[in-house]
């Protein structure tokens, strides 16, 4: 029964990632009929929409929009790529720039939470590892429980960020990027673009599940 549960959890965690990678790779073939690269489309969309002060630049840290620096950062494959995946991902990141430009509340909330979550997750790991030692040293009634609760809250903050991220990503994909792409790619490519955007969203679903599994793993270790 335990083996079956573990296998089910692994499937829930791994399958979205595997499917997302397959979809993205499937649509990464170069397209001679596309007039520009992902970076060129992103730059064009920003100018067309009148979003000033946002620049497009390459990065090795994965495709993302940085609201503090006001930068659309694209991986080399997307920045210089001329494929359905490249232009779709570029449009998605521009979708975040649109959200920021329009003051989209969930994006602003996520931006504030990200910094807090990173610190909280590190604190959670330290507290979980230190909990038994602190209990032995202090012998305070309920001391271990207090540390465990603090650690759970810390890990829970990371899971909360991922949950807040999901509607932000879906909005950037299907309410912002997809309508824009209709003007730039052939109609027969629209289903593929939708698949790429869905695959990108699934990576955040997997990240959310990973946070919850990480919390569960520490709780199991602590109970031993």
């Amino acid at each position: 029964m335990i083996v079956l549960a573990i296998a089910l959890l692994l499937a829930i965690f791994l399958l979205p990632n595997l499917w997302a990678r397959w979809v993205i790779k499937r649509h990464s073939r170069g397209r001679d009929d596309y007039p520009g690269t992902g970076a060129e489309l992103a730059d064009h969309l920003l100018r067309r929409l009148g979003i000033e002060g946002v620049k497009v630049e390459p990065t090795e840290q994965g495709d993302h929009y940085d609201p503090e620096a006001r930068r659309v950062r694209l991986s080399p494959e997307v920045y210089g790529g001329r494929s359905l995946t490249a232009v779709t991902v570029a449009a998605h990141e521009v979708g975040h720039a649109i959200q920021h430009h329009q003051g989209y509340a969930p994006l602003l909330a996520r931006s504030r939470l990200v910094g807090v979550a990173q610190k909280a997750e590190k604190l959670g790991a330290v507290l979980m590892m230190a909990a038994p030692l602190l209990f032995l040293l202090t012998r305070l009634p309920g001391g271990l429980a207090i540390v465990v609760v603090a650690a759970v809250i810390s890990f829970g903050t990371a899971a909360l960020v991922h949950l807040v991220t999901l509607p932000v990503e879906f909005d950037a994909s299907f309410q912002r990027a997809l309508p824009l792409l209709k003007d730039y790619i052939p109609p027969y490519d629209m289903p593929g673009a939708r698949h790429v955007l869905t695959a990108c969203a699934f990576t955040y679903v997997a990240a959310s599940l990973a946070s919850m599994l990480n919390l569960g793993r520490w709780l199991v270790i602590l109970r031993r």
Side-chain angles (χ1 to χ4, degrees), residues 142-221:
L144 181 60
I146 293 173
V147 175
V148 171
V149 169
V152 169
I153 292 173
S154 298
F155 281 116
T157 305
L160 176 62
V161 170
H162 291 306
L163 291 175
V164 171
T165 293
L166 290 178
V168 173
E169 294 299 320
F170 277 107
D171 179 84
S173 288
F174 301 109
Q175 301 301 319
R176 320 278 179 167
L178 203 61
L180 291 173
L181 285 169
K182 291 179 181 178
D183 295 332
Y184 297 96
I185 64 175
Y188 54 79
D189 277 337
M190 289 303 295
R194 185 178 289 275
H195 288 159
V196 171
L197 292 171
T198 303
C200 292
F202 263 70
T203 61
Y204 290 95
V205 173
S208 181
L209 291 172
S211 294
M212 296 175 185
L213 287 174
N214 193 31
L215 174 59
R217 180 173 64 88
W218 279 106
L219 291 175
V220 170
I221 291 172

Side-chain angles (χ1 to χ4, degrees), residues 42 46 54-76 78-79 89-97 99 107 110-111 114 118 165 169 172 200 204:
L46 290 169
V54 177
K55 296 188 180 299
V56 182
E57 59 186 31
T59 182
E60 297 293 337
Q61 305 302 316
D63 306 291
H64 65 280
Y65 172 69
D66 184 340
E68 291 188 5
R70 301 195 69 196
R71 294 290 185 270
V72 171
R73 297 194 172 116
L74 304 175
S75 61
V78 172
Y79 188 89
V89 172
H92 169 82
E93 299 307 333
V94 170
H96 287 308
Q99 291 174 332
L107 175 70
R110 183 185 72 170
S111 300
V114 165
Q118 290 173 343
T165 293
E169 294 299 320
C200 292
Y204 290 95

